[in-house]
């Protein structure tokens, strides 16, 4: 640049000194005092990212053609000048979607929302990459998304800003949908350039869902009653029945039931599992009949809804089961001697009432008892006396026995005898009894044999009267005995 009168104009051109710098342009006859800001251009090769440096050379020529009268020596080469050029070339943001799919499992009615993290990286071998901006552009099917990323720097990852999830858990079954993402390259903090589509303009996260219908438990047998049984009986198990009342859907939990608190004479309990919707399962409870008693035990049943993919959940409030049983001792018929003459002995089911030696002409009386010789709870005792074989002794009060409870007795079993003739006399009474209870009105049969024995002897060793004379002496007494016997039978 020169000033003053009659000064030459300026010519200039520019050329690159090599890659990555580019240069072009020239101007001629820039008159003194003027400026050219647009003709000489420098640039850089942007085919690769990174820091770029280089130079360009500007060649200057003084040209007096504007003054005239200088031909042929109007131009004079001036010293050239180098221009150093440096700058950074940034590539567009390069998104990498690290979470291509999300698999979610829940139960009908569970809370839904965009609660699963999506991981993204602004992939770059170096820092010369614009920032990545991510927005949710929409969703399809049973999917939803939330969140955004404003400016993810080169080589950085974001694992929490974008979230996806199921849109609804109202219907059981399989579902699939997509959350669509828009990827934008932003020059904020780097090139300062306007936002444009990133190297990959869009992506999507697939959201796969499994929704199970939970199991719903119903205990249909709140009481297991074994009723009245006997000590030593083999008793069939009782079953606590549990229904899974849940509707059958595309995916269902199964039901598990666990019974605890089984105690006393009751056995079993435990659990049953895998009860499908609209089906039932059973838990078995047994009874040990070794000891008599009246039992009422409260057991507890807990319910869980299960599937292979989720933690167990409640299938309803716990339910109680009453375990009931009455275990009876067997009825036991037993004779006891109460008063009068005689000694009563027992051998198993056979009894002998020995009246001993009775003096001829004597009249004797004895009183016995029959009882249900057991402790409660017990079967009741009933029965009849078979006296068809009794023809020597006179009986009174040997009536039918009805419903003798444990320890109860009948004390009216009387017999009398008139020693009218010498000799050994023996009669047998058979008691045909049954032990019954509310569950077994037919009962268990049992028999007792009572043998009554007497030996009529002559007092002091005197001779026995002739049969004819003896008959005369005792005719009246014998007739009275026969009459009484007929009335009793």
């Amino acid at each position: 640049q020169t000033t003053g009168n009659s000064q030459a104009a300026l010519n200039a051109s520019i050329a690159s000194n090599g890659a990555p710098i580019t240069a072009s342009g020239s101007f001629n006859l820039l008159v003194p005092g003027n400026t050219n800001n647009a003709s000489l251009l420098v640039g850089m090769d942007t085919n690769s990212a990174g820091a770029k440096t280089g130079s360009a050379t500007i060649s200057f020529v003084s040209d007096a053609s504007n003054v005239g009268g200088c031909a042929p020596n109007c131009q004079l080469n001036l010293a050239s000048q180098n221009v150093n050029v440096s700058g950074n070339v940034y590539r567009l943001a390069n998104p990498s979607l690290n979470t291509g799919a999300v698999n979610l499992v829940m139960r009908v009615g569970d809370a839904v929302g965009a609660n699963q993290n999506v991981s993204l990286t602004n992939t770059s071998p170096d820092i010369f990459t614009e920032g990545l901006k991510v927005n949710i552009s929409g969703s399809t099917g049973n999917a939803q998304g939330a969140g955004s990323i404003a400016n993810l720097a080169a080589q950085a990852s974001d694992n929490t800003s974008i979230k996806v999830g199921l849109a609804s858990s109202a219907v059981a079954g399989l579902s699939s949908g997509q959350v669509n993402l828009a990827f934008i390259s932003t020059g904020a903090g780097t090139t300062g350039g306007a936002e444009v589509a990133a190297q990959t303009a869009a992506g999507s996260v697939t959201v796969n869902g499994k929704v199970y219908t939970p199991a719903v438990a119903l205990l249909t047998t709140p009481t297991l009653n074994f009723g009245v049984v006997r000590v030593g009986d083999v008793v069939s198990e009782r079953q606590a029945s549990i229904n899974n009342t849940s509707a059958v859907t595309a995916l269902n939990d199964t039901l598990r039931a666990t019974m605890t608190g089984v105690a006393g004479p009751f056995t079993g309990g435990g659990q049953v599992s895998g009860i499908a919707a609209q089906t039932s399962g059973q838990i078995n409870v047994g009874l040990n009949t070794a000891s008599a008693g009246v039992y009422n035990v409260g057991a507890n049943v807990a319910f869980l809804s299960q599937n292979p993919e989720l933690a167990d959940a409640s299938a309803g409030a716990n339910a109680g089961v009453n375990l009931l049983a009455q275990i009876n001792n067997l009825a036991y018929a037993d004779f006891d001697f109460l008063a009068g003459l005689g000694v009563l002995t027992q051998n198993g089911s056979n009894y002998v009432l020995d009246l001993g030696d009775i003096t001829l002409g004597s009249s004797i009386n004895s009183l016995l008892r029959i009882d249900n010789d057991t402790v409660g709870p017990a079967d009741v005792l009933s029965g009849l006396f078979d006296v068809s074989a009794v023809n020597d002794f006179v009986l009174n009060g040997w009536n039918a026995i009805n419903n003798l409870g444990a320890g109860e007795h009948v004390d009216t079993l009387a017999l009398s005898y008139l020693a009218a003739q010498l000799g050994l006399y023996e009669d047998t009474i058979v008691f045909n009894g049954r032990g019954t209870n509310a569950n077994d009105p037919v009962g268990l049969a049992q028999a007792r044999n009572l043998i009554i024995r007497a030996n009529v002897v002559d007092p002091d060793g005197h001779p026995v009267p002739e049969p004819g004379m003896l008959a005369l002496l005792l005719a009246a007494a014998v007739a009275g005995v026969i009459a009484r016997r007929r009335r009793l039978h």
Side-chain angles (χ1 to χ4, degrees), residues 213 289 377 449 456 472:
T213 297
T289 61
N449 299 313
V456 179
L472 293 173

Side-chain angles (χ1 to χ4, degrees), residues 25 32 56 72 91 97 112 129 142 293 317 340 353 358 362 412-413 427 435 438 471:
R91 62 180 66 82
L97 180 58
V112 296
T129 301
N142 190 26
L353 176 61
I358 301 174
S362 299
T412 61
L413 309 183
D427 287 343

Side-chain angles (χ1 to χ4, degrees), residues 85 232 270 289 300 347:
V85 181
T289 61
N300 183 69
N347 182 12

Side-chain angles (χ1 to χ4, degrees), residues 49 90-95 122-124 128-132 184-186 191 194-200:
Y90 285 80
R91 62 180 66 82
L92 296 177
N94 185 17
N122 188 357
T123 304
S124 175
F128 294 101
T129 301
E130 284 191 326
L132 175 63
I184 300 165
S185 184
T186 175
T191 64
E195 293 180 352
V196 296
Q199 293 186 42
T200 301

Side-chain angles (χ1 to χ4, degrees), residues 442-464:
V442 174
L444 296 179
Q446 55 182 282
R448 300 290 184 267
N449 299 313
L450 174 62
I451 300 172
I452 305 170
R453 183 177 297 157
N455 184 29
V456 179
V457 298
D458 177 41
D460 301 325
H462 292 164
V464 178

Side-chain angles (χ1 to χ4, degrees), residues 387-409:
V387 297
S388 60
V390 177
N391 52 27
D392 295 306
F393 302 94
V394 179
L395 304 179
N396 186 34
W398 296 72
N399 303 315
I401 303 300
N402 293 308
N403 299 325
L404 284 185
E408 294 182 344
H409 48 81

